[in-house]
Amino acid sequence: MGKGEQTRQAILDEAFSLASCIGVGGLSIGVLADRTHMSKSGLFAHFGSKEELQLAVLRESQQRFAEVVVRPALRLPRGLGRLRAIVANWLDWTKTCNLPGGCVINAAAAEFDDQPGPLRDEVRNALLALNRSLAATVAKAVETGELSADTDIEQFVFELNGIYQATQQRRRLFDDPEADRRALAAFERLVRDNAVIHAKE
Amino acid sequence: MGKGEQTRQAILDEAFSLASCIGVGGLSIGVLADRTHMSKSGLFAHFGSKEELQLAVLRESQQRFAEVVVRPALRLPRGLGRLRAIVANWLDWTKTCNLPGGCVINAAAAEFDDQPGPLRDEVRNALLALNRSLAATVAKAVETGELSADTDIEQFVFELNGIYQATQQRRRLFDDPEADRRALAAFERLVRDNAVIHAKE
DNA sequence: GACATAAACGAACGATCGTTCTATAAAGCA
DNA sequence: TGCTTTATAGAACGATCGTTCGTTTATGTC
């Protein structure tokens, strides 16, 4: 890796954890230059525009998410177990990565949902991809017979998303130590309601 | 209402719908002055600081929420019906009010959850109050016997919150026309799992 | 209508914003 | 080592930021 790539990555590392606290929109070249002990113009040259820097942060976030949340779970056999692993990894991926201030993309989703442009598009695509990935995982749990054949997969993913966001809010805003327990309880209820019926009433 | 209060309210109206799109943190005195056809200093004088303006917007949001979502439901008899009404009002209160860009407080929650200060405190208190209000409503549905006596009320509210946030994201970011239907489906599943058991297996 | 008060303005402040330019220093390669 | 390319620095730009100040205009009261 050449010198250029190296510093670019160092900048992204810093930008990533900074964006976690103040949001992707709150990033500023000047502050980032201070934190990385660089000049504004030197840092700027690596991205060409602020927007490109923000996009790079969003892409960085996607990549880390895939590495930390999804990939480890792919080593497990397909089915409910893998889904459980993804959910577990997902719920504490902000601890695993250097994310002092919560998921960057999730925050960006609320920030840019009304501001058309490349940033919104990037966030949207990232979350669409996540939803597809989750849907595929749920679908496999249906195939293995662990979840009912008439499971509404889109609905399942919808509710999973809600559980995640509620958890984030409880943790970050209310400092609720019960957040994780509640999240798992909600998830188990979701699984239970979509499990194969052993005894029909 | 004197002239002062009158313009202050006009400013808040504009700030409110603007904040809905760009976030409370993205508000700027200059832009707001343009939109209200005032000078920066004239507008500024009504609040004394930008932070005070932001706080005023958050309080405005709380007030409108109470008027539009909670109050109408209080005319219904306590119990599940009232809860349903609140949920219904809640899900489309962004349409009812002038909120082109989604719930201001919910967005602010993601924005300020890592930035200590009066704004975070205000958001936190607003959402705590909402949670308490929801919990009380659920508790009454337990009292009327419509929900089971061993309903975990905090858990119920937790999941309700998740449903709301998932709905917002689907609507705003994915333009998903099914979002409302999914929200109601999730809500009904939540109610069903906490309903009194008529036939034990 | 005169007067005290409150509201709005316009200009300016220092700070920071993203960006551009030119020059210097470092890195990579022959 | 020498040379080319790349990376970084520094200064400056115009724009906008929140805020302050003094002045002027409107409002409400006697």
Side-chain angles (χ1 to χ4, degrees), chain A residues 100-168:
Chain A
C103 176
V104 171
I105 297 210
N106 220 56
E111 198 173 354
F112 297 118
D113 61 359
D114 284 295
Q115 296 166 262
L119 292 174
R120 194 193 115 115
D121 294 344
E122 185 70 29
V123 170
R124 184 185 153 110
N125 288 335
L127 290 180
L128 276 173
L130 169 60
N131 274 12
R132 273 196 300 269
S133 172
L134 287 172
T137 308
V138 173
K140 277 166 194 151
V142 171
E143 286 173 24
T144 62
E146 288 161 300
L147 290 183
S148 163
D150 53 1
T151 297
D152 183 339
I153 294 178
E154 274 296 311
Q155 178 76 23
F156 195 107
V157 172
F158 175 94
E159 301 203 25
L160 215 44
N161 222 308
I163 293 171
Y164 178 70
Q165 292 190 66
T167 310
Q168 287 279 100

Side-chain angles (χ1 to χ4, degrees), chain A:
Chain A
M1 181 162 63
K3 183 80 200 319
E5 276 301 314
Q6 198 173 317
T7 36
R8 191 189 140 102
Q9 192 56 50
I11 295 169
L12 275 183
D13 284 351
E14 187 61 39
F16 183 61
S17 70
L18 182 56
S20 162
C21 288
I22 62 172
V24 174
L27 286 175
S28 104
I29 311 263
V31 172
L32 211 45
D34 278 353
R35 292 219 182 196
T36 52
H37 309 292
M38 290 185 67
S39 65
K40 280 206 308 178
S41 54
L43 187 147
F44 183 86
H46 282 273
F47 301 94
S49 75
K50 180 186 178 178
E51 193 172 62
E52 210 57 50
L53 163 65
Q54 294 172 308
L55 284 171
V57 169
L58 290 177
R59 296 196 190 103
E60 175 76 14
S61 183
Q62 284 180 260
Q63 195 182 318
R64 296 203 190 184
F65 186 89
E67 277 173 23
V68 167
V69 176
V70 179
R71 216 180 59 177
L74 293 182
R75 301 177 44 174
L76 295 171
R78 39 153 58 188
L80 200 51
R82 184 188 283 178
L83 179 60
R84 273 189 220 279
I86 287 188
V87 169
N89 292 341
W90 190 13
L91 282 173
D92 50 44
W93 93 288
T94 56
K95 299 166 196 159
T96 311
C97 283
N98 185 19
L99 279 170
C103 176
V104 171
I105 297 210
N106 220 56
E111 198 173 354
F112 297 118
D113 61 359
D114 284 295
Q115 296 166 262
L119 292 174
R120 194 193 115 115
D121 294 344
E122 185 70 29
V123 170
R124 184 185 153 110
N125 288 335
L127 290 180
L128 276 173
L130 169 60
N131 274 12
R132 273 196 300 269
S133 172
L134 287 172
T137 308
V138 173
K140 277 166 194 151
V142 171
E143 286 173 24
T144 62
E146 288 161 300
L147 290 183
S148 163
D150 53 1
T151 297
D152 183 339
I153 294 178
E154 274 296 311
Q155 178 76 23
F156 195 107
V157 172
F158 175 94
E159 301 203 25
L160 215 44
N161 222 308
I163 293 171
Y164 178 70
Q165 292 190 66
T167 310
Q168 287 279 100
Q169 188 175 95
R170 288 291 269 242
R171 268 210 295 241
R172 311 211 61 74
L173 201 60
F174 298 163
D175 308 298
D176 184 356
E178 307 265 46
D180 284 53
R181 194 176 60 73
R182 299 228 171 272
L184 290 179
F187 175 67
E188 289 307 326
R189 189 175 71 82
L190 181 58
V191 168
R192 197 184 322 125
D193 282 1
N194 285 282
V196 287
I197 303 160
H198 289 123
K200 193 128 190 172
E201 56 171 329

